[in-house]
Amino acid sequence: MARFTLGSLAVIGALLLGGCGLLPEQIDETAGWNAQKLYSEAKNYMAEGSYEQAIKLFEKLEARFPYGRYAQQAQIEVAYAHYKSYEPALAIAAADRFIKLHPNHPNADYMYYLKGLATFNEDLGLLAGLSNQDLSERDPKAAQESFDTFGQLVNRFPNSRYAEDARQRMQYLVNSLAQHEVHVARYYFKRGAYVATINRAQTTIKTYPNAPATEEALFMLVKSYDALGMSDLRDDAERVMRKNFPNSVYYAGGPKDGRPWWQLW
């Protein structure tokens, strides 16, 4: 029977540990790469749509070469890769980190824009059409956050190449937020909560005066005041509505097209 001394056991243990360190899956083939090589390979992964692999290389690049243009560009690429991977929370976190570290960077406007996009679901209209769910029925928190971020971009960088697109998205979001208020008002009206309906309708008119939803908001004011027997306020609201929307579809029973307003818009 073989006997092992403490010394021989120590040698065997060292050999085993050394052997484990040579396992192929633990060998880092990028160990000798410079910043340019890491960036180039990561961009190739991006082009292929292999965003997870690209992110790993960009993070290695920043860890090994934390200073210089490659590291800063890697931070931008990581945010974009998370966005393309449908990971909005990670994309927003990466964009916020870049903005905090480099507030005056030439590409800071792009990071605001990307952050806004991460909370602005461009496919929402398609998804809502498939599920028959109105955009206004969704939680408005993301829309408000996206609006605020695009607003920061427009205010800080009014001449940015992304500013015009941000303004158009802001208008889209304003219409969405206004319609959400009307959707809630409509919910209250159907349940006979006329005071709550009036409050929501007034909020829509005051907060989003130029949104298409103000037409229905005024109509709901008229109907709610009428249901409460408040004829003077009803007549005042109707005068305002007829002045601003003389050919309103609501005089004829409402829109004939069953599609949500945002699909028409």
Side-chain angles (χ1 to χ4, degrees):
M1 182 175 180
R3 293 184 179 181
F4 297 97
T5 65
L6 292 176
S8 61
L9 288 173
V11 171
I12 293 173
L15 290 173
L16 289 173
L17 290 174
C20 291
L22 297 176
L23 292 176
E25 60 268 21
Q26 293 186 351
I27 298 175
D28 186 356
E29 65 175 353
T30 70
W33 293 4
N34 59 23
Q36 183 178 5
K37 173 68 172 177
L38 283 166
Y39 183 80
S40 176
E41 292 298 321
K43 288 292 287 183
N44 288 338
Y45 278 127
M46 291 283 282
E48 296 170 358
S50 302
Y51 300 114
E52 184 178 354
Q53 296 299 322
I55 289 171
K56 290 179 180 179
L57 288 185
F58 284 131
E59 290 176 343
K60 284 184 180 182
L61 191 162
E62 184 183 359
R64 296 177 189 175
F65 308 96
Y67 307 105
R69 64 186 183 91
Y70 281 113
Q72 295 176 3
Q73 188 62 33
Q75 294 169 8
I76 296 174
E77 299 287 357
V78 166
Y80 179 70
H82 282 308
Y83 170 71
K84 293 294 290 182
S85 299
Y86 303 101
E87 299 173 324
L90 294 177
I92 292 169
D96 281 335
R97 177 172 178 264
F98 183 89
I99 292 169
K100 183 178 180 180
L101 292 174
H102 316 287
N104 298 317
H105 192 277
N107 292 326
D109 59 337
Y110 171 71
M111 297 309 285
Y112 277 105
Y113 180 68
L114 185 62
K115 180 182 174 182
L117 287 181
T119 49
F120 183 96
N121 192 339
E122 293 176 285
D123 296 326
L124 190 57
L126 173 61
L127 294 177
L130 294 175
S131 64
N132 200 30
Q133 183 182 34
D134 194 297
L135 181 64
S136 63
E137 298 175 21
R138 298 172 181 262
D139 186 353
K141 181 180 179 181
Q144 185 64 59
E145 290 177 353
S146 184
F147 180 87
D148 293 341
T149 301
F150 285 133
Q152 288 179 296
L153 166 60
V154 171
N155 291 330
R156 288 199 60 191
F157 308 97
N159 299 319
S160 167
R161 59 185 294 189
Y162 307 105
E164 182 56 33
D165 185 73
R167 292 187 185 97
Q168 293 182 18
R169 292 177 187 271
M170 288 174 71
Q171 184 61 55
Y172 180 95
L173 291 165
V174 163
N175 294 341
S176 169
L177 292 167
Q179 187 62 24
H180 174 78
E181 294 294 330
V182 170
H183 174 77
V184 176
R186 195 185 306 124
Y187 172 87
Y188 286 138
F189 184 84
K190 290 179 179 179
R191 284 153 182 78
Y194 302 118
V195 174
T197 303
I198 291 169
N199 290 336
R200 284 288 184 166
Q202 289 178 337
T203 297
T204 304
I205 296 167
K206 293 177 181 178
T207 309
Y208 313 104
N210 298 317
T214 56
E215 180 180 358
E216 186 178 356
L218 280 168
F219 180 73
M220 299 194 75
L221 277 181
V222 174
K223 297 289 288 183
S224 297
Y225 285 136
D226 184 64
L228 293 172
M230 305 172 73
S231 56
D232 290 342
L233 291 175
R234 177 202 63 199
D235 294 342
D236 289 342
E238 186 170 3
R239 277 194 294 270
V240 173
M241 182 172 180
R242 290 191 178 277
K243 180 178 180 180
N244 288 276
F245 304 100
N247 301 314
S248 175
V249 294
Y250 292 99
Y251 296 139
K256 303 302 181 184
D257 195 313
R259 288 179 295 166
W261 69 271
W262 49 270
Q263 288 186 350
L264 299 174
W265 179 82

